[in-house]
Amino acid sequence: MQLKSKVLIFASVITLLALTGIQSYLIYNTYELKKKAFVVDAKTAVGKVYRTPTMDSLMWTYRYDFLDKIQEYKSNEITKTDVLDSLKKKTTAINGTFLELYNEGMSGNSLKSEIKFRQMVSHISMVDNLGNKDSFLNEIKNDSIFLFGENYRAEDGVRINNATWTQEHEYLKDGVAIPYFLEFKTHTFIDVLDENEIMLEELSGILIAATLLFIFVVSLLYYSIQNLFKQKRLADIKTDFINNITHELKTPLSTLSLATETLTGSFAEDDKVLAKETVQIINRQNVRLQKLIDQVVESSLGYREIQLSKEEFNCTIFLNELINDYQLPLNTSVEISKKIDNTGILMVADKFYLGTAIINLLNNAIKYGGTRLEISYTLNTKNDSHLINIRDNGIGISEKYQKHIFHKFYRVSEKDTHNYKGLGLGLYYTSQIIKAHNGVISVTSSEDKGATFSIQIPFAL
Ligand code: ADP
């Protein structure tokens, strides 16, 4: 294959891969953007529900309670842990009401998915007017307490808000009011249920279009490459054919030109014997040329152009006669054995064409190294047909070529098979003859192990 074609195929594949990469990247980006837009919408919806006066007063119930607990803590009635425990208890107690309000508020929005709420407190500290800091929860230590919503796993949620409740307040210590500044940091998360399914649904149009486009482009590329290989094979086959036919024509033509030279030379006038011999040579070469041309013309016929004149005959007798005649002029190094059944079922076929097909196969068997040939005839009752097998012990045909050998002009171009003369038309013509009989021809072979050609001709209806 030419370098140019290889470069073209390589460039097309790389371009396809690059386009697929870019397309995947764009789809992924669209997915991310849609996801972000969805989170923004979800955040707005949650914000609307969360920032209502009812929700606010609910929040203040635990905040007042918390301020009271600080007073108890500063009066040494309870410990820090008690303060936090009581915060947990209080928020747990009102979480039911919170969820009711939240779900009621969220039910009216246009979002396609359920959104789970989760609020945590991550930092609680107080600083008195002397600058003394007292921490209940330290955000640096990463300890946080669940406040409201549903306590799902942290990795399932997206943080949508960080808020700080600050309060200037005072506690009483030994009858003296001591002012302090409270810092209470919360984080709000949401978990969108079936997020991926919703995104996929939203992107399904793009995904389907992209997949179809991809399949289309890959098929187009595959088809073009196939076509390129086919064209290349055809071009090779035609070049081979031209080379072969020129080679075949050269010998008779050069003999003819020598013969004419002899005849036109002065010594042919005196030598009648030489003149006669030369004319015979011209005749023989003429016949040879004619045969060659006939072979090309005839063997190029397609099965529709073959005019059969079918007759009913006994194939057992037909094959015996055909092989006997064929064997007569053969040299003794080729041995043909027969396994011809007396099937009792008459065959309906064109004797001349069928004979040509079988002789073609026998000629090939000998041409491609067969010295022991076997021809068998029996019935194939599975598909109601006559079965003729021609087996040889020649060079064989490796599997990868077998599907091509019945094609017009095809010749196996491996090792030294080109030392065997031929135009690549014999098997094509044979297969067309069998096809014209509604029959089937097939081959089983492997390299160096000979070949068996099978012909099946259906019983006449
Ligand atoms: P040709 O013999 O003129 O090349 P054919 O159409 O008769 O053309 O055969 C096509 C190819 O199939 C041949 O080139 C040969 O390689 C292979 N072939 C055919 N018959 C045999 C056989 N009996 N043994 C091995 N190879 C064969």
Side-chain angles (χ1 to χ4, degrees):
M1 175 162 256
Q2 278 177 348
L3 186 68
K4 208 165 133 194
S5 310
K6 277 189 187 163
V7 171
L8 264 176
I9 292 175
F10 183 70
S12 313
V13 172
I14 294 290
T15 313
L16 182 70
L17 287 179
L19 278 177
T20 314
I22 292 172
Q23 204 173 37
S24 313
Y25 174 73
L26 289 177
I27 291 176
Y28 177 73
N29 263 2
T30 316
Y31 170 81
E32 285 292 310
L33 279 176
K34 283 215 172 252
K35 201 166 151 181
K36 271 186 193 146
F38 192 84
V39 170
V40 170
D41 287 350
K43 193 176 160 179
T44 316
V46 170
K48 267 191 201 155
V49 174
Y50 187 69
R51 273 180 230 106
T52 57
T54 333
M55 211 48 123
D56 206 39
S57 53
L58 186 70
M59 294 296 127
W60 275 106
T61 55
Y62 89 82
R63 286 177 185 165
Y64 285 137
D65 192 75
F66 186 71
L67 293 175
D68 288 348
K69 292 295 164 202
I70 286 184
Q71 174 60 60
E72 284 175 32
Y73 163 65
K74 283 295 176 188
S75 315
N76 290 333
E77 290 163 25
I78 56 173
T79 64
K80 257 188 204 176
T81 322
D82 295 333
V83 176
L84 293 178
D85 282 348
S86 124
L87 173 69
K88 280 184 209 164
K89 242 188 227 156
K90 186 69 189 171
T91 52
T92 309
I94 57 173
N95 195 27
T97 319
F98 172 86
L99 282 174
E100 258 171 44
L101 287 173
Y102 173 80
N103 290 332
E104 198 184 296
M106 289 301 278
S107 63
N109 68 46
S110 60
L111 294 170
K112 284 184 193 161
S113 169
E114 192 186 325
I115 292 159
K116 285 205 223 162
F117 184 96
R118 176 166 157 264
Q119 194 174 61
M120 309 287 292
V121 52
S122 62
H123 179 91
I124 308 172
S125 67
M126 54 185 290
V127 184
D128 65 20
N129 57 346
L130 297 172
N132 299 320
K133 187 171 179 176
D134 204 352
S135 277
F136 292 84
L137 262 185
N138 197 335
E139 114 183 284
I140 300 158
K141 284 190 196 155
N142 235 350
D143 32 42
S144 52
I145 293 175
F146 170 71
L147 289 181
F148 296 108
E150 290 171 68
N151 199 3
Y152 48 80
R153 293 182 314 166
E155 55 269 32
D156 289 340
V158 185
R159 189 193 292 201
I160 57 161
N161 191 35
N162 299 327
T164 308
W165 163 44
T166 53
Q167 184 77 38
E168 283 179 19
H169 204 61
E170 48 190 33
Y171 61 84
L172 288 172
K173 180 99 184 173
D174 305 327
V176 184
I178 300 175
Y180 68 90
F181 179 77
L182 177 75
E183 212 176 19
F184 193 103
K185 287 187 186 171
T186 56
H187 301 303
T188 305
F189 302 84
I190 54 167
D191 177 22
V192 182
L193 288 188
D194 307 327
E195 186 180 26
N196 288 335
E197 283 83 347
I198 291 170
M199 290 297 128
L200 272 180
E201 201 185 305
E202 298 227 333
L203 288 174
S204 58
I206 297 183
L207 281 176
I208 292 172
T211 314
L212 287 180
L213 211 67
F214 178 75
I215 294 173
F216 180 69
V217 174
V218 169
S219 320
L220 214 65
L221 187 68
Y222 176 77
Y223 176 75
S224 309
I225 293 174
Q226 281 268 80
N227 219 19
L228 201 74
F229 278 114
K230 208 166 146 188
Q231 297 295 338
K232 161 89 175 76
R233 214 169 45 230
L234 273 180
D236 285 353
I237 285 173
K238 284 195 177 139
T239 318
D240 265 11
F241 174 73
I242 290 166
N243 289 343
N244 291 332
I245 194 110
T246 336
H247 181 79
E248 294 281 317
L249 289 173
K250 252 186 200 156
T251 329
L253 282 177
S254 53
T255 319
L256 276 176
S257 98
L258 264 178
T260 10
E261 251 174 55
T262 315
L263 277 185
T264 47
S266 56
F267 50 96
E269 279 173 27
D270 312 325
D271 191 340
K272 292 282 174 232
V273 182
L274 177 69
K276 201 176 165 198
E277 273 176 4
T278 317
V279 170
Q280 279 170 350
I281 291 177
I282 292 178
N283 247 339
R284 277 203 302 276
Q285 294 310 320
N286 211 0
V287 170
R288 193 170 162 195
L289 275 176
Q290 193 59 50
K291 265 192 177 167
L292 206 64
I293 289 161
D294 284 351
Q295 191 194 346
V296 174
V297 173
E298 193 172 296
S299 308
S300 301
L301 291 182
Y303 69 99
R304 285 195 193 90
E305 290 140 333
I306 297 174
Q307 301 287 331
L308 299 180
S309 34
K310 287 190 187 174
E311 57 186 298
E312 205 172 35
F313 59 92
N314 182 323
C315 192
T316 316
I317 300 173
F318 166 74
L319 285 174
N320 274 316
E321 283 174 3
L322 187 85
I323 307 303
N324 289 346
D325 290 353
Y326 184 80
Q327 255 175 323
L328 274 181
L330 282 187
N331 66 42
T332 45
S333 62
V334 177
E335 199 183 290
I336 303 185
S337 62
K338 292 182 283 184
K339 272 192 184 168
I340 298 179
D341 284 359
N342 203 343
T343 60
I345 292 197
L346 295 179
M347 182 183 258
V348 178
D350 184 313
K351 272 184 171 179
F352 169 74
Y353 278 112
L354 186 63
T356 310
I358 293 169
I359 288 170
N360 273 352
L361 294 178
L362 291 168
N363 283 343
N364 270 354
I366 296 171
K367 181 159 86 174
Y368 295 103
T371 51
R372 262 176 298 132
L373 276 52
E374 185 191 277
I375 174 152
S376 67
Y377 166 60
T378 183
L379 296 180
N380 185 348
T381 43
K382 269 190 213 148
N383 61 359
D384 287 350
S385 59
H386 300 269
L387 173 67
I388 302 167
N389 282 332
I390 292 159
R391 184 197 305 203
D392 66 61
N393 62 338
I395 59 170
I397 310 157
S398 71
E399 210 163 313
K400 60 182 176 205
Y401 300 120
Q402 287 175 16
K403 58 179 178 291
H404 303 300
I405 57 172
F406 298 104
H407 295 164
K408 207 175 193 172
F409 302 133
Y410 188 84
R411 306 202 72 218
V412 174
S413 54
E414 192 156 77
K415 287 193 270 175
D416 47 19
T417 31
H418 265 135
N419 294 338
Y420 304 94
K421 278 190 190 172
L423 298 175
L425 283 169
L427 283 185
Y428 168 73
Y429 187 43
T430 307
S431 70
Q432 296 306 300
I433 292 175
I434 304 305
K435 215 166 165 189
H437 282 89
N438 294 324
V440 180
I441 181 165
S442 58
V443 64
T444 42
S445 176
S446 51
E447 224 177 323
D448 299 326
K449 299 239 167 73
T452 304
F453 284 86
S454 302
I455 292 175
Q456 296 189 58
I457 305 282
F459 296 162
L461 289 174

